[in-house]
């Protein structure tokens, strides 16, 4: 989904140097660097197949989920405070994030027919590219216009701190906004990191996979139940709410 037109567009992050964006600590530089990494991975995704494509996909997940979680808990609240139309702009990006979460849950499902998998992959690539353009071309330049370099650097440090300790997997039911997502971050990160560890050990230690797969499934179920806790869903807008009792 593209953001609506709100007058003349400020300069995209894509057209600015790192010095113009506030230097290496600025949240704008950190965002742009990760978007460039994502672009490379999306190209790799189209060039690979089979188990190699699966590995590229996991690299994309490990990049985008902590990145987006930190945006939703640190950056978008700041945008809502200082950017005109910040409420609507952040909501539309949150809807893109929500769709990414839902697409990945479906891609991770068992026995996916090849044509359905390809359809979901194509949609995932489209939504991720739209999300980057909406952030770099519209929302973040407006944040840049509203804040000074020192504030952008402070926001960059805060965003990075949350990104490094954020969940690494899709959580479509948890709130896309504080306070729910902020409360959910620590427990979901612990569960995600344990699942990541199971996968790494299963991959590296011959014969370990049969013992670790059930453990990973138990952790996945625990994360699914945790997501539904009312405290983790507080602050959610109906447009991005999913699960029992939520607006579709
Ligand atoms: Fe981003
Ligand atoms: Fe994003």
């Amino acid at each position: 989904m593209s953001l609506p037109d709100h007058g003349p567009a400020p300069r995209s992050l894509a057209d600015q140097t790192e010095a113009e964006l506030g230097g290496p600590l600025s949240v704008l530089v950190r965002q742009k660097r990760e978007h460039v990494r994502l672009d490379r991975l999306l190209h790799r995704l189209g060039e690979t197949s089979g188990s190699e494509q699966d590995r590229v996909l996991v690299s994309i997940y490990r990049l985008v989920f902590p990145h987006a979680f930190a945006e939703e808990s640190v950056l978008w609240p700041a945008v809502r405070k200082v950017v005109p139309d910040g409420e609507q702009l952040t909501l539309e990006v949150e809807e893109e994030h929500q769709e990414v979460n839902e697409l990945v849950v479906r891609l991770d499902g068992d026995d996916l027919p090849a044509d359905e998998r390809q359809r979901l992959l194509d949609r995932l690539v489209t939504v991720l590219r739209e999300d980057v353009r909406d952030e770099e071309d519209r929302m973040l330049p407006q944040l840049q216009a509203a804040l000074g370099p020192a504030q952008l650097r402070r926001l960059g440090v805060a965003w990075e701190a949350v990104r490094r300790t954020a969940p690494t997997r899709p959580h479509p039911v948890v709130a896309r906004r504080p306070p729910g997502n902020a409360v959910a971050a620590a427990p979901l990160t612990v569960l995600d990191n344990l699942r990541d560890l199971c996968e790494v050990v299963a991959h590296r230690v011959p014969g370990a996979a049969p013992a670790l797969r059930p453990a990973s499934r138990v952790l996945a179920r625990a994360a699914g139940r945790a997501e539904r806790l009312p405290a983790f869903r507080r602050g959610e807008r109906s447009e991005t709410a999913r699960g029992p009792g939520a607006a579709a």
Side-chain angles (χ1 to χ4, degrees):
M1 180 188 309
S2 292
L3 296 180
D5 192 13
H6 293 280
R11 278 174 74 208
S12 169
L13 268 54
D15 301 329
Q16 299 187 55
T17 65
E18 292 199 353
E20 288 174 307
L21 295 173
L25 292 181
S26 163
V27 71
L28 305 179
V29 170
R30 294 174 190 269
Q31 279 281 317
K32 186 172 167 179
R33 286 182 180 176
E34 290 224 325
H35 293 166
V36 169
R37 274 186 63 208
L38 175 62
D39 183 61
R40 284 198 208 105
L41 285 167
L42 293 177
H43 279 294
R44 285 282 300 141
L45 193 67
E47 296 162 355
T48 52
S49 59
S51 59
E52 198 185 346
Q53 188 181 59
D54 287 342
R55 278 196 293 277
V56 176
L57 209 45
V58 169
S59 299
I60 290 172
Y61 299 165
R62 298 294 181 270
L63 176 66
V64 301
F65 287 116
H67 178 109
F69 203 95
E71 287 176 342
E72 291 163 0
S73 50
V74 172
L75 260 192
W76 302 166
V79 169
R80 284 192 282 275
K81 269 191 198 143
V82 299
V83 170
D85 292 335
E87 174 67 32
Q88 181 62 24
L89 291 167
T90 55
L91 177 60
E92 296 198 18
V93 170
E94 286 163 351
E95 288 183 277
E96 289 164 351
H97 290 185
Q98 180 66 30
E99 186 174 357
V100 169
N101 275 263
E102 292 172 10
L103 286 166
V104 170
V105 167
R106 289 165 68 191
L107 275 164
D108 282 350
D110 294 328
D111 302 324
L112 204 56
D115 56 346
E116 174 67 358
R117 175 185 158 91
Q118 190 56 52
R119 196 186 66 75
L120 293 172
L121 280 178
D122 290 345
R123 182 64 192 157
L124 180 68
V125 171
T126 298
V127 179
L128 286 172
R129 290 200 184 285
E130 284 179 0
D131 188 57
V132 169
R133 293 277 49 87
D134 285 340
E135 292 173 10
E136 289 203 2
D137 300 347
R138 304 297 302 276
M139 183 164 20
L140 294 174
Q142 292 195 52
L143 185 69
Q144 181 182 28
L147 299 180
Q151 289 168 303
L152 291 171
R153 285 194 283 275
R154 272 200 293 278
L155 213 41
V157 171
W159 178 72
E160 181 67 22
V162 174
R163 189 191 68 80
R164 284 173 184 263
T165 54
T168 59
R169 290 167 180 265
H171 295 290
V173 180
V174 77
R176 303 257 73 82
R177 290 194 175 192
N181 62 359
V183 177
L188 291 181
T189 300
V190 169
L191 291 167
D192 284 358
N193 288 346
L194 286 170
R195 286 184 71 195
D196 295 347
L197 186 64
C198 285
E199 280 185 9
V200 169
V201 174
H203 191 69
R204 290 196 184 152
V205 180
L212 288 170
R213 246 181 242 124
S216 182
R217 278 199 290 270
V218 167
L219 290 164
R221 279 198 295 275
R225 277 197 299 274
E227 268 194 82
R228 287 174 159 73
L229 291 173
F232 293 2
R233 304 177 70 184
R234 280 178 53 216
E236 186 77 296
R237 290 269 309 228
S238 62
E239 292 86 343
T240 51
R242 297 294 182 271

